[in-house]
Amino acid sequence: MPSIFFFDTEIAKSLYAKFPPKKPEFDGYKNIIRDWWIICWAGQWQDSKKIIASSVLDNKERFHADPMDDYHPITKLYDQIKDADAIVGHNMAKFDWKKFNARVTYHKLPPLDPPKIIDTWLMAKAIGEYTSNSLGYLCDYHKLPTKASNRGNDMWNDVVRHIVNRDMKQTKTVIQEIVDYCAPDVTAVKALYDFLLPYAPQRFRVNQNLFHADGVDGCPCCKSDNLTHEGYRITVTGRYERFKCQDCGSWSQGKKSIKQVAIK
C-alpha cells in the first residue's frame, strides 16, 4: 500500500525591531531581529495508530545553546517525508510544506524528491461550499475528532516574550504547551481525510491499484474488491464502465473506453 504521512507543524513568530509608529508601519525584512522557526511537528502514518512528534525541546544541548534552533525537529521530519509517497495536512500546500522546505534550505539539507501533496483544506473546498474551511469547523460539522483548543495569540507571543527575557523555564513550559496542542491536529486531519476521500475528486487520491502486488485491481480509493458495476461514465470521446465501492462508497471507472469516437 502507498506510504501516506499526515503531519502538522507549529511555527514561532518573527521578532521585529520598530520605532513606535504614528501610523501602521510596514514590517520590512530589515527590521527582523530573529526570523520565524519551526517549534515542533506531529505526524502519523496512514497504517499506524501511533502519533510521532519532534520539537526543539528534544535536543537539550541545542535548545539550551539556542531555543530557536530547529535543526533537530527539521531533520526528524525530513527523515519521515523522504519515505512518503504522499503527505497530507490542512493548508499543507500553502503553509506546512512550504514552511518546512524553507527550513530545509536554511539548514542546507539535500533536496527532497517532492511527494504528492494532499491538502484537506483544498479537498473540502473542491467538494462543497462550507460555511468555513477551517479544520475545527469541518471536524465539528461532520462530527469527527476535532482539534485541541489553545490560548490563541497569547500562547505564541509568550514564546518570544520568554526568550527575550531569557526565562528558559517559562520558555520550555510554553513550548511544551504548543507541542501538546499540535498532536490532536494530526488526529483531526486524518479523520477528515478518511471521511472526505470518497467524495473527493481524483486529484486528491493516491490510486491504491498502483501498489497491488498481485496485479488485481480494486477500489482505487480504499483498495476493496467489493465493487459493483453501475452503468457507464460518458466523456466527450468515450464511454467507460462505471463502478461503485460497496465499502467506502466512492466511484471509479474502467481504464479503457468500451467505445470511442474520433470526432468531438
Side-chain angles (χ1 to χ4, degrees):
M1 64 183 300
S3 298
I4 300 178
F5 188 60
F6 300 79
F7 76 90
D8 181 57
T9 60
E10 303 295 343
I11 74 168
K13 291 185 174 183
S14 298
L15 178 62
Y16 286 83
K18 299 168 61 175
F19 291 108
K22 294 181 180 179
K23 58 182 180 179
E25 181 182 351
F26 173 69
D27 292 329
Y29 76 91
K30 291 186 177 180
N31 289 333
I32 296 174
I33 301 301
R34 190 63 185 258
D35 214 342
W36 64 271
W37 41 281
I38 289 182
I39 296 171
C40 65
W41 61 268
Q44 182 180 13
W45 289 97
Q46 186 182 40
D47 59 350
S48 173
K49 294 182 179 180
K50 182 181 178 181
I51 299 289
I52 54 179
S54 181
S55 78
V56 293
L57 297 176
D58 295 342
N59 189 311
K60 294 180 180 180
E61 183 178 347
R62 298 187 78 103
F63 178 76
H64 285 288
D66 180 2
M68 294 178 278
D69 179 0
D70 63 3
Y71 179 82
H72 179 80
I74 292 301
T75 53
K76 291 297 183 182
L77 182 54
Y78 181 99
D79 288 341
Q80 298 295 322
I81 292 177
K82 71 180 182 181
D83 295 326
D85 296 308
I87 54 175
V88 184
H90 207 70
N91 290 314
M92 177 62 73
K94 289 185 177 180
F95 185 79
D96 296 272
W97 173 246
K98 289 190 175 183
K99 289 297 186 184
F100 164 72
N101 257 326
R103 300 308 288 173
V104 167
T105 61
Y106 176 82
H107 291 297
K108 297 179 174 58
L109 299 175
L112 282 167
D113 182 20
K116 180 180 178 70
I117 298 173
I118 302 174
D119 190 325
T120 49
W121 186 90
L122 294 173
M123 179 188 287
K125 193 172 181 180
I127 291 170
E129 187 173 341
Y130 299 100
T131 301
S132 169
N133 285 322
S134 71
L135 179 59
Y137 173 84
L138 290 168
C139 288
D140 288 345
Y141 183 82
H142 295 108
K143 296 179 173 58
L144 301 170
T146 192
K147 61 189 277 113
S149 59
N150 63 72
R151 294 190 290 116
N153 209 35
D154 287 344
M155 185 169 69
W156 276 270
N157 286 344
D158 281 348
V159 176
V160 178
R161 183 180 296 115
H162 295 318
I163 289 175
V164 170
N165 292 333
R166 298 184 179 180
D167 188 336
M168 293 298 287
K169 181 178 180 180
Q170 290 300 319
T171 299
K172 287 197 288 186
T173 298
V174 71
I175 286 178
Q176 186 60 55
E177 182 182 1
I178 293 172
V179 171
D180 294 341
Y181 161 74
C182 183
D185 275 13
V186 178
T187 303
V189 166
K190 188 174 186 301
L192 182 64
Y193 169 82
D194 289 341
F195 176 79
L196 292 181
L197 188 59
Y199 301 90
Q202 290 185 0
R203 66 180 182 274
F204 295 104
R205 301 177 182 177
V206 178
N207 193 332
Q208 300 286 332
N209 291 320
L210 297 174
F211 300 87
H212 278 194
D214 57 9
V216 178
D217 287 352
C219 173
C221 193
C222 73
K223 71 178 183 294
S224 169
D225 59 3
N226 189 13
L227 301 176
T228 57
H229 186 271
E230 300 283 349
Y232 301 91
R233 178 172 290 166
I234 307 301
T235 68
V236 174
T237 59
R239 185 170 66 166
Y240 298 82
E241 288 185 299
R242 185 173 62 180
F243 301 93
K244 184 174 184 180
C245 179
Q246 299 304 303
D247 289 335
C248 74
S250 66
W251 293 84
S252 55
Q253 71 179 42
K255 297 177 181 177
K256 296 181 179 180
S257 173
I258 61 173
K259 182 175 177 59
Q260 288 185 323
V261 295
I263 301 175
K264 296 181 181 180

